[in-house]
Amino acid sequence: MWHTLAQAIELTGRSRRSLYRDMDAGRVSYRIRADGRRELETSELIRVYGPLRAMARVGTQRMAQVGTPVGTPPVEPLAAILEELQGIREENRLLREEVRELRAAMLQLEHKPGIPPVAEAKKAGSFADLLRGLDGN
């Protein structure tokens, strides 16, 4: 969207002098209308000056998208959204309950140890003790 210099001043919060200085220095691009006035594009203002201020619009609102028919009703009325939210909450409650039941069932499963524990071997004091252990004495 193209803006007049006055609109650009309102959107950016910059002075007229600052905008002219930036245009003359080549920091911001612009076009010249048939009547000789300069216009600046929204994307160019955002690129150079960052987020823009909100601008009050007088008159009818323009549509954001060209293909959107005039008088399009809201997407969904508030009551339908609240009803859907309640359904989602109920589903969430049921899923949490199912998770609790599954955890309880897992805890009740029989414990099956893998490898039986090995008995501790006697510690040998010397090489002779090791040999006696091999003989079975």
Side-chain angles (χ1 to χ4, degrees):
M1 178 178 207
W2 292 91
H3 302 282
T4 63
L5 198 57
Q7 291 171 333
I9 290 168
E10 187 177 343
L11 287 169
T12 62
R14 306 284 176 156
S15 68
R16 180 178 299 274
R17 183 175 179 183
S18 294
L19 289 174
Y20 272 110
R21 185 176 51 239
D22 290 344
M23 286 186 280
D24 292 340
R27 281 189 220 98
V28 70
S29 301
Y30 62 94
R31 72 178 179 186
I32 299 177
R33 298 189 323 192
D35 61 1
R37 295 183 180 197
R38 296 180 185 193
E39 287 185 322
L40 300 117
E41 194 171 18
T42 306
S43 61
E44 190 67 9
L45 294 173
I46 293 170
R47 181 186 68 80
V48 176
Y49 302 112
L52 302 177
R53 298 177 176 181
M55 194 169 91
R57 293 188 183 192
V58 180
T60 60
Q61 281 187 333
R62 292 183 177 169
M63 291 190 305
Q65 297 178 354
V66 177
T68 305
V70 178
T72 302
V75 177
E76 287 185 47
L78 185 59
I81 293 172
L82 289 174
E83 184 179 331
E84 184 177 353
L85 177 62
Q86 289 172 346
I88 291 170
R89 284 183 175 163
E90 177 63 19
E91 183 180 359
N92 188 17
R93 186 188 66 76
L94 292 172
L95 288 171
R96 287 179 183 270
E97 185 178 319
E98 183 178 353
V99 168
R100 275 193 296 274
E101 290 171 1
L102 289 171
R103 283 184 180 157
M106 285 179 61
L107 291 175
Q108 293 176 356
L109 291 176
E110 181 182 341
H111 175 69
K112 298 179 182 176
I115 301 172
V118 177
E120 276 191 46
K122 291 183 183 178
K123 204 171 190 185
S126 67
F127 188 69
D129 292 338
L130 287 174
L131 291 175
R132 271 185 246 130
L134 291 173
D135 290 337
N137 295 334

